[in-house]
Amino acid sequence: EPEVTQTPSHQVTQMGQEVILRCVPISNHLYFYWYRQILGQKVEFLVSFYNNEISEKSEIFDDQFSVERPDGSNFTLKIRSTKLEDSAMYFCASSEGRGGGEKLFFGSGTQLSVL
Amino acid sequence: GENVEQHPSTLSVQEGDSAVIKCTYSDSASNYFPWYKQELGKGPQLIIDIRSNVGEKKDQRIAVTLNKTAKHFSLHITETQPEDSAVYFCAAGPSYNTDKLIFGTGTRLQVFP
């Protein structure tokens, strides 16, 4: 069964450092997302991406965050200068179609720890 | 803003019993309501979903009901098994002009053998 894959599974970084989280969405999907989950809290939307541009972003997704699809398979989330409060599990997701009515398929996540 | 409330936060049942998890949502324009199961160390996995034009949907031991008037929806698991133990999240998808799902706070279900 096709799945969304994410690397690395764990990332530890120092405050102020840049991190790049990587994702390979399901191959025939066209819409890509990043969500995050702070320990013990709900899953929160960060950004959606379609046709090589951001289609929607949340208030969390400020200038320190960026997304990119550098080639035909990878989808990345970059945090330019990490803060302690960026520590969370980051989930990549993809869907065939757009909108809140489409089935989202999530990866296993990257646990980011900012020290 | 949009919000989804989920109850209970923890639920313990004996194997074979039923489990019910309830969610309410605030955005009346929401029209898609998926349920996700999250096992330890894994991402959320879609287990069942329902759209606003349907009141109930069933898939083997899992069923979801939706009351649009009251803006609440529920997950029902019958004949629970230890492998059903996980965290369950409900979510609501707003109108077609937005991409995001709004998630509930999660329910940790524990099924005791």
Side-chain angles (χ1 to χ4, degrees), chain B residues 8-23:
Chain B
S9 55
T10 59
L11 179 60
S12 296
V13 300
Q14 208 70 35
E15 183 178 1
D17 288 350
S18 294
V20 180
I21 303 170
K22 299 182 178 183
C23 288

Side-chain angles (χ1 to χ4, degrees), chain A residues 35-38 41-45 89 91 106, chain B residues 38 44 89 101-106:
Chain A
Y35 283 76
R36 79 171 185 189
Q37 185 179 28
I38 295 172
Q41 298 184 25
K42 62 171 71 177
V43 178
E44 302 174 289
F45 171 81
M89 179 73 90
F91 292 109
F106 285 84
Chain B
Q38 187 177 23
F89 289 96
L101 287 176
I102 307 298
F103 280 79
T105 46

